[in-house]
Amino acid sequence: MLRLRVKLCRGGSCVEALAVANSGFVGFEPEILAPLRVVEPLLGRSPRVELVERVLADGSVVQLPRTVDPVDVLVVSEDRVAGPVPARVYLGRGLLLLNDKLLSKLGVAIIDPGEGLWCFRDELGVRVRKGY
């Protein structure tokens, strides 16, 4: 599993967390799935949400709360930071997940998801990074 260090920001406040780069979490725009406890310092206890119908990997359809207000997402590595990219937040439990469009906008290239290897797109063939 590829875990990346991310910084989520809104209105001058930021939180850092580990997120799973999940290319199977597809969308039409940059999005994250995050527990409320992670984004609460940025969006408050009761963020403005809308219910969005999503089709899961198994084909089932669910309605998930998604924030109206975006957060800025940055990928933080040992030697550089990519972003910010504004992303909407689906509120869930458990892991913090980054969708395919967000990974693309951040310039993240997944080399080996099982071993947690990645690089920035401009480093392909030059550098391999290890996730957390």
Side-chain angles (χ1 to χ4, degrees), residues 76-96:
V76 180
S77 71
E78 64 278 354
D79 62 338
R80 70 190 264 197
V81 175
V85 173
R88 304 279 289 283
V89 181
Y90 283 97
L91 299 175
R93 298 184 197 128
L95 298 173
L96 178 67

Side-chain angles (χ1 to χ4, degrees), residues 39-90:
V39 295
E40 186 177 338
L42 307 175
L43 299 170
R45 280 207 140 130
S46 300
R48 296 183 314 142
V49 297
E50 59 189 358
L51 287 178
V52 177
E53 192 171 273
R54 292 296 305 241
V55 178
L56 302 180
D58 66 359
S60 62
V61 178
V62 296
Q63 286 198 338
L64 296 173
R66 184 177 72 177
T67 62
V68 173
D69 302 311
V71 298
D72 288 327
V73 181
L74 301 96
V75 171
V76 180
S77 71
E78 64 278 354
D79 62 338
R80 70 190 264 197
V81 175
V85 173
R88 304 279 289 283
V89 181
Y90 283 97

